[in-house]
Every structure is written in C-alpha cells, then in structure tokens.
Amino acid sequence: MAALPYVTAPGNIKKALDAIISASTPERVTQDFVKTILQIPGGSGDQMTSFLKKLGFANSDGTPTDLYRQFRNEGTRGAAAAAALKKAYEPLYKRNEYVHELPEAKLRGLIIEETGASDESSSVTNVLTAIKHLKAYSDFSVRRSDQ
C-alpha cells in the first residue's frame, strides 16, 4: 500500500502554486522560502516543502527542477502540472492511466484501495483535494518537450 502525498491544509496548495508562478526562482526550495516568499506559515510550510519535492518541483537538496521552471512558464505550465500530478500519484496511475478523468467518487475509491485507509480517513480527503488542486493547473492534452 502506497503512502500518497498530501498536506493537511490543502487550500495552501493553490496558494503555493500561485506564489511559485509570480515569485523568482530560488536557489533552493527551503522551508524559509516556502514560509517567507510563498507565505505558507508554520507546520503547513514544513509540509509544503516536502510536498513540492514529492511533486518533482525540487530535488532532495532543494534545488528547483526543470519541472519547477516549466510550471512557472505560462506556455508549459499545464503540461508541467500534469507531469507533476503523474509523478506524485504514480501508484494511482499504475492502477488507472486516466486518474485525472475519474469522477470524484471513483477517484476516492481508488485512493482508498491504494492506501488501505478507511473512507472516513482525513488522509483520503486530503489526497483527493490535493489532486483536485493540481488538476486545476494541468493540461493533459499536451506533452512536455523533454518527454
């Protein structure tokens, strides 16, 4: 059973992604960057730093990836967000290559099946909400140039 990435305050995902678009690319995506520049405070900022790494926006040492840079570019943002979604939720995509097309109830069921969590688990709701936030930026009709 896979542990799928999420944050406990999923509304911060949109806030962080919008801030990434408008902020300059940092030398490293650190907790200071997330808390100060992206303005995600406290423990939520700590979670967001890890979440951005799981999306493939930062390497383990915090350096921004090409995916991070592509997300900042309006012309490649949709494809980059789609690639990040597929990377972060790869176990779900192994079960169904069209995760992003599933209705909410079926996606919830797939998350429960993959994680083994109960339907009432807050982690299931948080994963579902994280996926919905990422899908809002994603364009699955185009391919990234480095694929």
Side-chain angles (χ1 to χ4, degrees), residues 36-122:
T36 305
I37 305 301
L38 302 186
Q39 298 184 352
I40 311 294
S44 294
D46 297 342
Q47 288 181 359
M48 189 59 65
T49 305
S50 175
F51 185 73
L52 291 172
K53 289 178 181 179
K54 290 175 183 171
L55 290 180
F57 279 11
N59 294 307
S60 59
D61 67 356
T63 55
T65 63
D66 287 341
L67 194 59
Y68 182 101
R69 289 176 185 80
Q70 290 166 359
F71 181 77
R72 293 193 66 242
N73 178 338
E74 186 176 351
T76 54
R77 182 172 303 134
L85 187 63
K86 286 181 176 181
K87 177 185 180 353
Y89 299 97
E90 184 178 7
L92 297 179
Y93 276 92
K94 284 183 178 177
R95 291 177 176 267
N96 184 328
E97 65 182 303
Y98 296 101
V99 166
H100 53 277
E101 298 287 339
L102 291 175
E104 187 171 322
K106 288 192 178 192
L107 179 53
R108 179 183 269 292
L110 194 62
I111 293 166
I112 291 167
E113 187 179 319
E114 181 62 36
T115 63
S118 72
D119 185 43
E120 296 80 29
S121 170
S122 62

Coordinates of all heavy atoms in Angstrom, one line a residue, residues 36-122:
T36 N 8.4 32.3 3.8 CA 8.6 33.7 3.6 C 8.0 34.2 2.3 O 7.2 35.1 2.2 CB 10.0 34.1 3.8 OG1 10.5 33.7 5.1 CG2 10.2 35.6 3.7
I37 N 8.5 33.6 1.2 CA 8.2 34.0 -0.1 C 6.8 33.5 -0.6 O 6.0 34.2 -1.1 CB 9.3 33.6 -1.2 CG1 10.6 34.2 -0.7 CG2 8.9 34.1 -2.6 CD1 10.7 35.7 -0.5
L38 N 6.6 32.2 -0.3 CA 5.3 31.6 -0.7 C 4.2 31.9 0.3 O 3.0 31.7 0.1 CB 5.4 30.1 -1.0 CG 6.4 29.6 -2.0 CD1 6.3 28.1 -2.2 CD2 6.3 30.4 -3.3
Q39 N 4.6 32.3 1.5 CA 3.7 32.7 2.6 C 2.8 31.6 3.1 O 1.6 31.8 3.3 CB 2.9 34.0 2.2 CG 3.8 35.2 1.9 CD 3.0 36.4 1.6 OE1 1.8 36.4 1.4 NE2 3.7 37.5 1.5
I40 N 3.4 30.4 3.3 CA 2.7 29.3 3.9 C 3.4 29.1 5.3 O 4.5 28.6 5.4 CB 2.9 28.0 3.1 CG1 2.6 28.2 1.6 CG2 2.1 26.9 3.7 CD1 1.1 28.6 1.3
P41 N 2.8 29.6 6.3 CA 3.4 29.6 7.6 C 3.4 28.3 8.4 O 2.6 27.4 8.1 CB 2.5 30.7 8.4 CG 1.2 30.5 7.8 CD 1.4 30.2 6.3
G42 N 4.2 28.3 9.4 CA 4.2 27.2 10.4 C 4.4 25.8 9.9 O 5.1 25.6 9.0
G43 N 3.7 24.9 10.5 CA 3.8 23.5 10.1 C 3.3 23.2 8.7 O 3.8 22.3 8.1
S44 N 2.3 24.0 8.3 CA 1.9 23.9 6.9 C 3.0 24.2 5.9 O 3.1 23.6 4.9 CB 0.7 24.9 6.6 OG -0.4 24.5 7.4
G45 N 3.9 25.2 6.2 CA 5.0 25.5 5.4 C 6.0 24.3 5.4 O 6.6 24.0 4.3
D46 N 6.2 23.6 6.5 CA 7.1 22.5 6.5 C 6.5 21.4 5.6 O 7.3 20.7 4.9 CB 7.2 21.9 8.0 CG 7.8 22.9 8.9 OD1 8.5 23.9 8.5 OD2 7.6 22.8 10.2
Q47 N 5.2 21.1 5.7 CA 4.6 20.1 4.9 C 4.7 20.5 3.4 O 4.9 19.6 2.6 CB 3.1 19.9 5.2 CG 2.8 19.3 6.5 CD 1.3 19.1 6.8 OE1 0.5 19.5 6.0 NE2 1.0 18.5 7.9
M48 N 4.5 21.8 3.1 CA 4.5 22.2 1.7 C 5.9 22.0 1.1 O 6.0 21.6 -0.1 CB 4.1 23.6 1.6 CG 3.9 24.1 0.1 SD 2.6 23.1 -0.8 CE 1.2 23.6 0.2
T49 N 7.0 22.2 1.8 CA 8.3 22.0 1.3 C 8.5 20.5 0.9 O 9.0 20.3 -0.2 CB 9.4 22.3 2.4 OG1 9.1 23.7 2.8 CG2 10.8 22.2 1.9
S50 N 8.1 19.6 1.7 CA 8.1 18.2 1.4 C 7.2 17.9 0.2 O 7.6 17.1 -0.7 CB 7.8 17.4 2.6 OG 7.7 16.0 2.3
F51 N 6.0 18.4 0.2 CA 5.1 18.2 -0.9 C 5.6 18.6 -2.2 O 5.5 17.9 -3.2 CB 3.7 18.9 -0.6 CG 2.6 18.6 -1.5 CD1 2.0 17.4 -1.5 CD2 2.2 19.6 -2.4 CE1 0.9 17.1 -2.4 CE2 1.2 19.3 -3.3 CZ 0.5 18.1 -3.3
L52 N 6.3 19.8 -2.3 CA 6.8 20.3 -3.6 C 7.9 19.3 -4.1 O 8.1 19.1 -5.3 CB 7.3 21.7 -3.4 CG 6.3 22.7 -3.2 CD1 6.9 24.1 -2.8 CD2 5.4 22.9 -4.4
K53 N 8.7 18.7 -3.2 CA 9.7 17.7 -3.6 C 9.0 16.5 -4.1 O 9.5 15.9 -5.1 CB 10.6 17.4 -2.4 CG 11.5 18.5 -2.0 CD 12.4 18.2 -0.8 CE 13.3 19.4 -0.4 NZ 14.1 19.1 0.7
K54 N 7.9 16.0 -3.5 CA 7.2 14.9 -4.0 C 6.6 15.1 -5.4 O 6.4 14.2 -6.1 CB 6.2 14.4 -3.0 CG 6.8 13.8 -1.7 CD 5.8 13.5 -0.7 CE 6.6 13.0 0.6 NZ 5.7 12.9 1.7
L55 N 6.2 16.4 -5.6 CA 5.7 16.7 -7.0 C 6.8 16.7 -8.0 O 6.5 16.7 -9.2 CB 5.1 18.1 -6.9 CG 3.8 18.3 -6.2 CD1 3.3 19.8 -6.3 CD2 2.7 17.4 -6.7
G56 N 8.0 16.7 -7.6 CA 9.1 16.8 -8.5 C 9.5 18.2 -8.9 O 10.2 18.5 -9.8
F57 N 9.1 19.2 -8.1 CA 9.4 20.6 -8.3 C 10.8 21.0 -7.7 O 11.3 22.0 -8.0 CB 8.3 21.5 -7.7 CG 7.1 21.7 -8.5 CD1 6.9 20.9 -9.7 CD2 6.2 22.7 -8.2 CE1 5.8 21.1 -10.5 CE2 5.1 22.9 -9.0 CZ 4.9 22.1 -10.2
A58 N 11.2 20.1 -6.7 CA 12.5 20.4 -6.1 C 13.2 19.0 -5.9 O 12.6 18.0 -5.6 CB 12.4 21.1 -4.8
N59 N 14.6 19.1 -6.1 CA 15.4 17.9 -5.8 C 15.5 17.7 -4.3 O 15.1 18.6 -3.5 CB 16.7 18.0 -6.4 CG 16.7 18.1 -7.9 OD1 16.1 17.2 -8.5 ND2 17.3 19.1 -8.5
S60 N 16.0 16.6 -3.9 CA 16.2 16.3 -2.4 C 17.0 17.4 -1.7 O 16.7 17.6 -0.5 CB 16.8 14.9 -2.2 OG 18.0 14.8 -2.8
D61 N 17.9 18.0 -2.4 CA 18.7 19.1 -1.8 C 18.0 20.4 -1.9 O 18.5 21.5 -1.4 CB 20.1 19.2 -2.4 CG 20.1 19.6 -3.9 OD1 19.0 19.8 -4.4 OD2 21.2 19.8 -4.4
G62 N 16.8 20.5 -2.4 CA 16.0 21.7 -2.5 C 16.2 22.5 -3.8 O 15.4 23.5 -4.0
T63 N 17.1 22.1 -4.6 CA 17.3 22.9 -5.9 C 16.1 22.7 -6.8 O 15.6 21.6 -6.9 CB 18.6 22.4 -6.7 OG1 18.5 21.0 -6.9 CG2 19.8 22.8 -5.9
P64 N 15.6 23.8 -7.4 CA 14.4 23.7 -8.2 C 14.7 22.8 -9.5 O 15.8 22.9 -10.0 CB 14.1 25.1 -8.7 CG 14.8 25.9 -7.6 CD 16.0 25.1 -7.2
T65 N 13.8 22.0 -9.9 CA 13.9 21.2 -11.1 C 13.5 21.9 -12.3 O 12.9 23.0 -12.3 CB 13.1 19.9 -10.9 OG1 11.7 20.3 -10.8 CG2 13.5 19.1 -9.7
D66 N 13.7 21.3 -13.5 CA 13.2 21.8 -14.7 C 11.7 21.8 -14.7 O 11.1 22.8 -15.3 CB 13.7 20.9 -15.9 CG 15.1 21.1 -16.2 OD1 15.7 22.1 -15.8 OD2 15.7 20.2 -16.9
L67 N 11.1 20.9 -14.0 CA 9.6 20.9 -13.9 C 9.1 22.1 -13.2 O 8.1 22.7 -13.6 CB 9.2 19.6 -13.2 CG 7.7 19.2 -13.2 CD1 7.3 19.0 -14.6 CD2 7.5 18.0 -12.4
Y68 N 9.8 22.5 -12.2 CA 9.5 23.8 -11.4 C 9.6 25.0 -12.4 O 8.7 25.8 -12.5 CB 10.5 24.0 -10.3 CG 10.3 25.2 -9.4 CD1 9.7 25.1 -8.2 CD2 10.7 26.5 -9.9 CE1 9.5 26.2 -7.4 CE2 10.5 27.6 -9.1 CZ 9.9 27.5 -7.8 OH 9.7 28.6 -7.0
R69 N 10.6 25.0 -13.2 CA 10.8 26.1 -14.1 C 9.7 26.1 -15.2 O 9.2 27.2 -15.6 CB 12.2 26.1 -14.7 CG 13.3 26.5 -13.8 CD 14.7 26.3 -14.4 NE 15.7 26.5 -13.4 CZ 16.2 25.7 -12.5 NH1 15.6 24.5 -12.4 NH2 17.1 26.0 -11.7
Q70 N 9.4 24.9 -15.7 CA 8.4 24.8 -16.7 C 7.0 25.2 -16.1 O 6.2 25.8 -16.9 CB 8.3 23.4 -17.2 CG 9.5 23.0 -18.1 CD 9.7 21.6 -18.3 OE1 8.9 20.7 -17.9 NE2 10.7 21.2 -19.1
F71 N 6.8 24.9 -14.9 CA 5.5 25.3 -14.3 C 5.4 26.8 -14.2 O 4.3 27.4 -14.3 CB 5.4 24.7 -12.8 CG 4.1 25.1 -12.2 CD1 2.9 24.4 -12.5 CD2 4.0 26.1 -11.2 CE1 1.7 24.8 -12.0 CE2 2.8 26.4 -10.7 CZ 1.6 25.8 -11.0
R72 N 6.5 27.5 -14.0 CA 6.4 29.0 -13.9 C 6.1 29.6 -15.3 O 5.7 30.8 -15.4 CB 7.8 29.5 -13.4 CG 8.0 29.1 -11.9 CD 9.1 29.9 -11.3 NE 8.8 31.3 -11.3 CZ 9.4 32.3 -11.9 NH1 10.5 32.0 -12.6 NH2 9.0 33.5 -11.8
N73 N 6.4 28.9 -16.4 CA 6.2 29.4 -17.7 C 4.8 29.2 -18.2 O 4.3 28.0 -18.2 CB 7.2 28.7 -18.7 CG 7.0 29.1 -20.1 OD1 6.0 29.6 -20.6 ND2 8.1 28.8 -20.9
E74 N 4.0 30.2 -18.5 CA 2.6 30.1 -18.8 C 2.4 29.1 -20.0 O 1.4 28.4 -20.0 CB 2.1 31.5 -19.2 CG 0.6 31.5 -19.4 CD 0.0 32.8 -19.7 OE1 0.7 33.8 -19.5 OE2 -1.2 32.9 -20.0
G75 N 3.3 29.1 -20.9 CA 3.2 28.2 -22.1 C 3.4 26.7 -21.8 O 2.9 25.9 -22.5
T76 N 4.1 26.4 -20.7 CA 4.3 25.0 -20.4 C 3.7 24.6 -19.1 O 3.9 23.4 -18.6 CB 5.9 24.7 -20.4 OG1 6.5 25.6 -19.5 CG2 6.5 24.8 -21.8
R77 N 3.1 25.5 -18.4 CA 2.5 25.2 -17.1 C 1.6 24.0 -17.0 O 1.7 23.2 -16.1 CB 1.8 26.5 -16.6 CG 1.2 26.3 -15.1 CD 0.7 27.6 -14.6 NE 1.8 28.6 -14.7 CZ 1.6 29.8 -15.2 NH1 0.5 30.3 -15.6 NH2 2.7 30.6 -15.2
G78 N 0.7 24.0 -17.9 CA -0.3 22.9 -17.9 C 0.3 21.5 -18.0 O 0.0 20.6 -17.3
A79 N 1.3 21.4 -19.0 CA 1.9 20.1 -19.1 C 2.8 19.8 -17.9 O 2.9 18.6 -17.5 CB 2.8 20.1 -20.4
A80 N 3.5 20.8 -17.4 CA 4.3 20.6 -16.2 C 3.5 20.1 -15.0 O 3.8 19.2 -14.2 CB 5.1 21.8 -15.8
A81 N 2.3 20.8 -14.8 CA 1.4 20.4 -13.7 C 0.9 18.9 -13.9 O 0.8 18.2 -12.9 CB 0.2 21.3 -13.6
A82 N 0.6 18.6 -15.1 CA 0.1 17.2 -15.4 C 1.2 16.2 -15.1 O 1.0 15.2 -14.5 CB -0.3 17.1 -16.9
A83 N 2.5 16.6 -15.5 CA 3.6 15.7 -15.2 C 3.9 15.5 -13.7 O 4.1 14.4 -13.2 CB 4.9 16.2 -15.9
A84 N 3.7 16.6 -13.0 CA 3.9 16.6 -11.5 C 2.8 15.7 -10.9 O 3.1 14.9 -10.0 CB 3.8 18.0 -10.9
L85 N 1.6 15.8 -11.4 CA 0.5 15.0 -10.8 C 0.8 13.5 -11.1 O 0.6 12.7 -10.2 CB -0.8 15.4 -11.5 CG -2.1 14.8 -11.0 CD1 -2.4 15.2 -9.6 CD2 -3.3 15.3 -11.9
K86 N 1.2 13.2 -12.3 CA 1.5 11.8 -12.6 C 2.7 11.3 -11.8 O 2.7 10.1 -11.4 CB 1.8 11.7 -14.1 CG 0.6 11.8 -14.9 CD 0.9 11.6 -16.4 CE -0.3 11.6 -17.3 NZ 0.0 11.4 -18.7
K87 N 3.7 12.1 -11.5 CA 4.8 11.7 -10.7 C 4.4 11.5 -9.3 O 4.7 10.4 -8.7 CB 5.9 12.8 -10.8 CG 7.2 12.4 -9.9 CD 8.2 13.5 -9.9 CE 9.4 13.3 -9.1 NZ 9.5 12.1 -8.2
A88 N 3.7 12.4 -8.7 CA 3.4 12.3 -7.3 C 2.4 11.2 -7.0 O 2.4 10.6 -5.9 CB 2.8 13.7 -6.8
Y89 N 1.5 10.9 -7.9 CA 0.5 9.9 -7.7 C 0.7 8.7 -8.6 O -0.3 8.1 -9.1 CB -0.9 10.6 -7.8 CG -1.1 11.7 -6.8 CD1 -0.8 13.0 -7.1 CD2 -1.3 11.4 -5.5 CE1 -0.9 14.0 -6.1 CE2 -1.4 12.3 -4.5 CZ -1.2 13.6 -4.8 OH -1.2 14.6 -3.8
E90 N 1.9 8.4 -8.9 CA 2.2 7.3 -9.8 C 1.5 6.0 -9.4 O 1.1 5.3 -10.3 CB 3.8 7.1 -9.8 CG 4.2 6.0 -10.8 CD 5.7 5.9 -10.9 OE1 6.4 6.5 -10.1 OE2 6.1 5.1 -11.7
P91 N 1.4 5.6 -8.1 CA 0.8 4.4 -7.8 C -0.7 4.4 -8.3 O -1.2 3.3 -8.7 CB 0.8 4.3 -6.2 CG 2.0 5.1 -5.9 CD 2.0 6.3 -6.9
L92 N -1.4 5.5 -8.2 CA -2.7 5.6 -8.8 C -2.7 5.4 -10.3 O -3.6 4.8 -10.8 CB -3.4 6.9 -8.3 CG -3.6 7.1 -6.9 CD1 -4.3 8.5 -6.6 CD2 -4.4 6.0 -6.2
Y93 N -1.8 6.1 -10.9 CA -1.7 6.0 -12.4 C -1.3 4.6 -12.9 O -1.6 4.2 -14.0 CB -0.7 7.1 -12.9 CG -1.4 8.4 -13.1 CD1 -1.4 9.3 -12.1 CD2 -2.1 8.7 -14.3 CE1 -2.0 10.5 -12.2 CE2 -2.8 9.9 -14.4 CZ -2.7 10.8 -13.4 OH -3.4 12.0 -13.5
K94 N -0.7 3.8 -12.0 CA -0.4 2.4 -12.4 C -1.7 1.6 -12.4 O -1.8 0.6 -13.1 CB 0.6 1.8 -11.4 CG 2.0 2.3 -11.7 CD 3.0 1.6 -10.8 CE 4.5 2.1 -11.1 NZ 5.4 1.5 -10.2
R95 N -2.6 2.0 -11.6 CA -3.9 1.3 -11.5 C -4.9 1.8 -12.6 O -5.7 1.0 -13.0 CB -4.6 1.6 -10.1 CG -3.8 0.9 -9.0 CD -4.5 1.2 -7.6 NE -3.9 0.5 -6.6 CZ -4.4 -0.7 -6.1 NH1 -5.4 -1.2 -6.6 NH2 -3.8 -1.2 -5.1
N96 N -4.8 3.1 -12.9 CA -5.6 3.6 -14.0 C -4.9 4.8 -14.6 O -4.7 5.8 -14.0 CB -7.0 4.0 -13.4 CG -8.0 4.5 -14.4 OD1 -7.6 5.1 -15.5 ND2 -9.2 4.3 -14.2
E97 N -4.5 4.7 -15.9 CA -3.8 5.7 -16.5 C -4.6 7.0 -16.7 O -4.0 8.0 -17.1 CB -3.2 5.2 -17.8 CG -4.2 4.9 -18.9 CD -3.6 4.4 -20.2 OE1 -2.7 5.1 -20.8 OE2 -4.0 3.2 -20.6
Y98 N -5.9 7.0 -16.5 CA -6.7 8.2 -16.6 C -7.3 8.6 -15.3 O -8.4 9.1 -15.2 CB -7.8 7.9 -17.6 CG -7.3 7.6 -19.0 CD1 -7.2 6.3 -19.5 CD2 -6.9 8.6 -19.8 CE1 -6.7 6.0 -20.7 CE2 -6.4 8.3 -21.1 CZ -6.3 7.0 -21.5 OH -5.8 6.8 -22.8
V99 N -6.4 8.6 -14.3 CA -6.8 9.1 -12.9 C -7.4 10.5 -13.0 O -8.5 10.7 -12.4 CB -5.6 9.1 -12.0 CG1 -5.9 9.8 -10.7 CG2 -5.2 7.6 -11.6
H100 N -6.8 11.3 -13.8 CA -7.3 12.7 -13.9 C -8.7 12.8 -14.6 O -9.3 13.9 -14.5 CB -6.3 13.6 -14.7 CG -5.9 13.0 -16.0 ND1 -5.0 12.0 -16.1 CD2 -6.4 13.2 -17.2 CE1 -4.9 11.6 -17.4 NE2 -5.7 12.4 -18.1
E101 N -9.2 11.8 -15.2 CA -10.5 11.8 -15.8 C -11.6 11.2 -14.9 O -12.8 11.3 -15.2 CB -10.5 11.0 -17.1 CG -9.5 11.6 -18.2 CD -10.0 12.8 -18.8 OE1 -11.3 13.1 -18.7 OE2 -9.2 13.6 -19.3
L102 N -11.2 10.5 -13.8 CA -12.2 9.8 -13.0 C -13.1 10.8 -12.3 O -12.7 11.8 -11.8 CB -11.4 9.0 -11.9 CG -10.6 7.8 -12.4 CD1 -9.9 7.1 -11.3 CD2 -11.6 6.8 -13.1
P103 N -14.4 10.4 -12.1 CA -15.3 11.2 -11.3 C -14.8 11.1 -9.8 O -14.1 10.1 -9.5 CB -16.6 10.6 -11.5 CG -16.5 9.4 -12.4 CD -15.0 9.3 -12.8
E104 N -15.2 12.0 -9.0 CA -14.7 12.1 -7.7 C -14.9 10.8 -6.9 O -14.0 10.4 -6.1 CB -15.3 13.3 -6.9 CG -14.7 13.5 -5.6 CD -15.2 14.8 -4.9 OE1 -15.3 15.8 -5.6 OE2 -15.4 14.8 -3.7
A105 N -16.1 10.2 -7.0 CA -16.4 9.0 -6.2 C -15.4 7.9 -6.6 O -15.0 7.1 -5.7 CB -17.8 8.6 -6.4
K106 N -15.2 7.7 -7.9 CA -14.3 6.6 -8.3 C -12.8 6.9 -7.9 O -12.1 6.0 -7.6 CB -14.4 6.4 -9.8 CG -15.7 5.8 -10.2 CD -15.7 5.3 -11.6 CE -17.1 4.6 -11.9 NZ -17.1 3.9 -13.1
L107 N -12.4 8.2 -8.0 CA -11.1 8.6 -7.6 C -10.9 8.3 -6.1 O -9.9 7.7 -5.6 CB -10.8 10.0 -7.9 CG -9.4 10.6 -7.5 CD1 -8.3 9.7 -8.0 CD2 -9.3 12.0 -7.9
R108 N -11.9 8.7 -5.3 CA -11.9 8.4 -3.8 C -11.7 6.9 -3.6 O -10.9 6.5 -2.8 CB -13.1 8.9 -3.2 CG -13.2 8.7 -1.7 CD -14.5 9.1 -1.0 NE -14.5 10.5 -0.5 CZ -13.8 10.9 0.5 NH1 -13.0 10.1 1.1 NH2 -13.9 12.1 0.9
G109 N -12.5 6.1 -4.3 CA -12.4 4.6 -4.2 C -11.0 4.1 -4.5 O -10.5 3.2 -3.8
L110 N -10.4 4.7 -5.6 CA -9.1 4.3 -6.0 C -8.0 4.6 -4.9 O -7.1 3.8 -4.6 CB -8.7 4.9 -7.3 CG -7.5 4.4 -8.0 CD1 -7.7 2.9 -8.4 CD2 -7.3 5.2 -9.3
I111 N -8.2 5.8 -4.3 CA -7.3 6.2 -3.2 C -7.4 5.3 -2.0 O -6.4 4.8 -1.4 CB -7.6 7.7 -2.8 CG1 -7.2 8.6 -3.9 CG2 -6.8 8.1 -1.5 CD1 -7.8 10.1 -3.8
I112 N -8.7 4.9 -1.7 CA -8.9 4.0 -0.5 C -8.3 2.7 -0.8 O -7.6 2.0 0.0 CB -10.4 3.9 -0.3 CG1 -10.9 5.2 0.3 CG2 -10.7 2.7 0.6 CD1 -12.5 5.3 0.3
E113 N -8.5 2.2 -2.1 CA -7.9 0.9 -2.5 C -6.4 0.9 -2.4 O -5.8 0.0 -1.9 CB -8.4 0.6 -3.9 CG -8.0 -0.7 -4.5 CD -8.6 -0.9 -5.9 OE1 -9.7 -0.4 -6.2 OE2 -7.8 -1.4 -6.7
E114 N -5.8 2.0 -2.8 CA -4.3 2.1 -2.9 C -3.7 2.2 -1.5 O -2.7 1.7 -1.2 CB -3.9 3.2 -3.8 CG -2.4 3.4 -3.9 CD -1.7 2.2 -4.5 OE1 -2.2 1.5 -5.4 OE2 -0.5 1.9 -4.1
T115 N -4.3 3.0 -0.6 CA -3.8 3.3 0.7 C -4.2 2.4 1.8 O -3.5 2.2 2.8 CB -4.2 4.8 1.1 OG1 -5.6 4.8 1.3 CG2 -3.7 5.8 0.2
G116 N -5.3 1.7 1.6 CA -5.9 0.9 2.6 C -6.6 1.7 3.7 O -7.0 1.1 4.7
A117 N -6.7 3.0 3.6 CA -7.3 3.8 4.6 C -8.8 3.6 4.5 O -9.4 3.2 3.5 CB -6.9 5.3 4.4
S118 N -9.5 4.0 5.6 CA -11.0 4.0 5.6 C -11.5 5.2 4.9 O -10.9 6.2 4.7 CB -11.5 4.0 7.1 OG -11.3 5.2 7.6
D119 N -12.8 5.0 4.5 CA -13.5 6.1 3.7 C -13.5 7.4 4.5 O -13.5 8.5 4.0 CB -14.9 5.6 3.3 CG -15.6 6.6 2.4 OD1 -14.9 7.2 1.5 OD2 -16.8 6.9 2.6
E120 N -13.6 7.2 5.8 CA -13.7 8.4 6.7 C -12.4 9.0 7.1 O -12.3 10.1 7.7 CB -14.4 8.0 8.1 CG -15.9 7.5 7.9 CD -16.0 6.1 7.5 OE1 -15.1 5.3 7.8 OE2 -16.9 5.7 6.8
S121 N -11.3 8.5 6.6 CA -10.0 9.0 6.9 C -9.7 10.4 6.3 O -10.0 10.6 5.2 CB -8.9 8.0 6.4 OG -7.6 8.6 6.5
S122 N -9.2 11.2 7.1 CA -8.9 12.6 6.6 C -7.8 12.5 5.6 O -7.8 13.4 4.7 CB -8.5 13.5 7.8 OG -7.3 13.0 8.4

